[in-house]
Amino acid sequence: MSKVEFRITLAQLNPTVGDVAGNAAKARVAREKARADGADLVVFSELFIAGYPPEDLILKPAFQAACRAAVEELARETAGGGPAVLIGTPWVEDDKLYNAVALLDEGRIAALRFKANLPNYGVFDEKRLFARGPASGPVTVSGVRIGVPICEDIWLEESEEYENVVECLAETGAEILVVPNGSPYARDKNDLRLSIAVARVTESGLPLIYLNEVGGQDELIFDGASFALNADLSVAVQLPAFEENITTLHWSKTSDGWRCSGPITPLLEGDKADYAACVLGLRDYVRKNGFPGVLLGVSGGIDSALCAAMAVDALGADKVRGVMLPFRFTAQVSLDDAAKLATALGIRYEVLPIADAVNGFEKILSGTFAGLPRDITEENLQARARGTLLMAISNKTGAMVVTTGNKSEMSVGYATLYGDMNGGFNPIKDIYKTEVFRLSSLRNEWKPDGALGPSGEVIPVNIITRPPTAELRENQTDQDSLPPYDMLDAILERLVEREEPLASIISAGFPPEVVTRIDRLLNIAEYKRRQAAPGVKVTQKNFGRDRRYPITNRFRDPGKPLPEPDPTLLSRVGRASVDAFEG
């Protein structure tokens, strides 16, 4: 008699790359929860046992062996009954390394499935790490045929290289699609995931479970937000974002196939989701790397204020230390606002004047600089003195320095190498300045679930409304050197995220001289960005993982309409290179 009831436990968990034993322990806890729920199967995310993405660590034979040994031990543990386990792991077979999912049941590795479509764009470069697996049929658990496409196996559309894994599974008798994922967060990505899943359900006629991991791994944030669709495209289940969750789904077989219903959790969107991603990224970077806490320079400005709030929300006030480092250009209002911020957040706070350090540097350099006018060099000495002091406290205490530069500043190089760029991690590295203002106002009226900071106004309103300034000279504001941030960020979004030609940006109404200048600053600041601390990715194209430009680069867009190709110069022989060589 065929099974008419089937329970699947979704383990939306936060693995740590390289912590094979720790990840296996998480799997055991989840399996015990699944056993208590009467589940037939418990499912884990892509490469769960290794942590995702493992990058070149996955090429290390000792790591491959450790992952395999852990999976084998988990398989042995299924001999005593309880739910089967579907878990992501690297797997070596016939001297080829695969991104695999192992089905563990009845004391053995009952089946293996290998990822067929390997992503090689954006933050992904799996083609250089893994061999491509074949499109395979479903695995069987308690008589139910489960199709297991792995992440990209449902994402790619038809192309010359695309292996239609879902079509293969449908044709070979799959009844439910279970998709383990390692899908990083980006703003509005939930809509994209849902549309991809809807397309696969539509073409296959099968219900689909989309299981994503949660947690931070260096720059990448995995938001979880796992879900399930019934075959009629109704949303059966929606798990929360940015938190671990173990939920057992009860599936019933009807005349139209398998169907389930479960909890539907509203998801954070827009600025709220970005804020939650930044908090999760900072929390996991600090905890997974073993730092006892963090410290940051608190200037009385909005960037450091927002980072301080994020740090407290991530780690708790007792793990955050703020340091004000004033010089003679620091306004009293900055000192007052920084103190108010520290009080509102409940963090340890101290004031360390830097005059002795800056004056000492200038005295040492007085002979070398004799006869030369004062300029940005002396301004940068202030930033570098601050950076040195923060790093000294970090060295002494073990606390990590939080870097506080936003994406607008990192884009145009409005930051000092070995000064305010010092630090171990930057939660707002991928947040433009205009969003920094929005997130600061947002945090004063809302905080995400699980945040450890206080509710209410934590960032003094004057910090949000006051014109931004680096305070490296008298009466300085950011707009002395940069266009208004509304304009700057709009231009940068077109240059960075969209890669628009200058002519297109200018034709949209932006001043040609401003667009040309911003493009130049963007190009010449590449050497700074290469030396910047890692930071949370929230946009479709961040610096580092996504946008990889050469430092040495003489090309400049002249800002003129792009020339049209001349088809008359391409001969028929030239179009067929094989014929050209063989003819």
Side-chain angles (χ1 to χ4, degrees), residues 314-368:
L315 306 169
D318 61 321
K319 298 289 195 298
V320 181
R321 181 175 188 170
V323 185
M324 163 55 96
L325 300 150
F327 189 52
R328 58 190 174 92
F329 302 122
T330 303
Q332 184 61 47
V333 66
S334 297
L335 288 161
D336 294 342
D337 286 345
K340 291 175 183 176
L341 172 77
T343 299
L345 290 171
I347 62 174
R348 177 177 176 178
Y349 175 72
E350 58 198 303
V351 179
L352 301 179
I354 63 169
D356 288 348
V358 175
N359 294 336
F361 280 130
E362 290 195 13
K363 182 177 180 180
I364 292 169
L365 292 166
S366 60
T368 303

Side-chain angles (χ1 to χ4, degrees), residues 17-19 50-51 53-64 97 129:
V17 167
D19 186 7
E55 302 185 68
D56 284 9
L57 175 62
I58 206 77
L59 302 177
K60 197 175 185 66
F63 183 62
Q64 297 166 6
L97 177 63
L129 300 174

Side-chain angles (χ1 to χ4, degrees), residues 166 169-170 174-177 200-202 204-208 229-231:
V166 171
L169 288 166
E175 300 173 65
I176 302 173
L177 299 175
R200 300 295 85 80
V201 172
T202 300
S204 67
L206 299 175
L208 181 149
L229 297 178
N230 287 312

Side-chain angles (χ1 to χ4, degrees), residues 127-142:
K127 286 184 179 180
R128 64 183 289 271
L129 300 174
F130 297 107
R132 184 175 183 173
S136 303
V139 301
T140 301
V141 180
S142 300

Side-chain angles (χ1 to χ4, degrees), residues 42-353:
V42 57
V43 183
F44 298 90
S45 54
E46 182 178 10
L47 288 176
F48 180 84
I49 206 71
Y52 187 84
E55 302 185 68
D56 284 9
L57 175 62
I58 206 77
L59 302 177
K60 197 175 185 66
F63 183 62
Q64 297 166 6
C67 291
R68 181 164 184 150
V71 169
E72 290 173 344
E73 183 58 32
L74 289 172
R76 294 185 190 100
E77 294 169 11
T78 63
V85 174
L86 198 62
I87 193 163
T89 183
W91 196 264
V92 177
E93 190 166 289
D94 297 328
D95 295 324
K96 292 181 178 179
L97 177 63
Y98 294 97
N99 182 333
V101 167
L103 175 65
L104 316 180
D105 197 16
E106 298 179 343
R108 62 195 179 92
I109 299 173
L112 289 163
R113 291 296 181 264
F114 302 145
K115 191 173 183 176
N117 296 295
L118 303 174
N120 212 59
Y121 57 85
V123 302
F124 305 106
D125 57 356
E126 290 192 22
K127 286 184 179 180
R128 64 183 289 271
L129 300 174
F130 297 107
R132 184 175 183 173
S136 303
V139 301
T140 301
V141 180
S142 300
V144 179
R145 296 184 297 277
I146 306 294
V148 192
I150 303 172
C151 199
E152 196 74 11
D153 289 338
I154 72 165
W155 279 77
L156 280 178
E157 301 295 338
E158 290 284 356
S159 68
E160 189 174 319
E161 293 187 350
Y162 180 56
E163 188 77 52
N164 196 328
V165 175
V166 171
E167 181 179 74
C168 174
L169 288 166
E171 291 175 350
T172 52
E175 300 173 65
I176 302 173
L177 299 175
V178 175
V179 190
N181 281 266
S183 177
Y185 170 79
R187 178 181 274 235
D188 301 327
K189 196 170 184 180
N190 286 319
D191 291 341
L192 175 60
R193 292 172 183 152
L194 186 60
S195 68
I196 293 292
V198 165
R200 300 295 85 80
V201 172
T202 300
E203 72 183 28
S204 67
L206 299 175
L208 181 149
I209 293 172
Y210 184 101
L211 177 68
N212 194 22
E213 75 169 84
V214 68
Q217 172 57 30
D218 297 343
E219 302 99 321
L220 299 183
I221 309 305
F222 297 90
D223 53 321
S226 305
F227 61 88
L229 297 178
N230 287 312
D232 63 3
L233 303 181
S234 62
V235 177
V237 175
Q238 176 64 69
L239 299 191
F242 305 110
E243 63 183 66
E244 290 189 312
N245 184 278
I246 301 174
T247 294
T248 299
L249 310 182
H250 186 171
W251 293 81
S252 299
K253 193 167 188 179
T254 70
S255 58
D256 296 322
W258 290 96
R259 186 176 183 85
C260 91
S261 62
I264 305 292
T265 305
L267 297 179
L268 296 178
E269 296 180 350
D271 288 346
K272 287 184 177 180
D274 283 356
Y275 187 93
C278 293
V279 169
L280 177 57
L282 179 58
R283 176 187 295 137
D284 273 4
Y285 191 86
V286 171
R287 290 182 176 176
K288 290 181 178 181
N289 285 290
F291 293 105
V294 300
L295 71 142
L296 71 163
V298 177
S299 67
I302 193 166
D303 295 322
S304 62
L306 179 59
C307 287
M310 288 176 170
V312 172
D313 283 345
L315 306 169
D318 61 321
K319 298 289 195 298
V320 181
R321 181 175 188 170
V323 185
M324 163 55 96
L325 300 150
F327 189 52
R328 58 190 174 92
F329 302 122
T330 303
Q332 184 61 47
V333 66
S334 297
L335 288 161
D336 294 342
D337 286 345
K340 291 175 183 176
L341 172 77
T343 299
L345 290 171
I347 62 174
R348 177 177 176 178
Y349 175 72
E350 58 198 303
V351 179
L352 301 179

Side-chain angles (χ1 to χ4, degrees), residues 505-525:
I505 301 173
I506 292 167
S507 68
F510 294 95
E513 67 281 2
V514 175
V515 173
T516 302
R517 177 170 174 259
I518 297 307
D519 181 61
R520 176 181 175 275
L521 292 174
L522 177 66
N523 280 293
I524 64 176

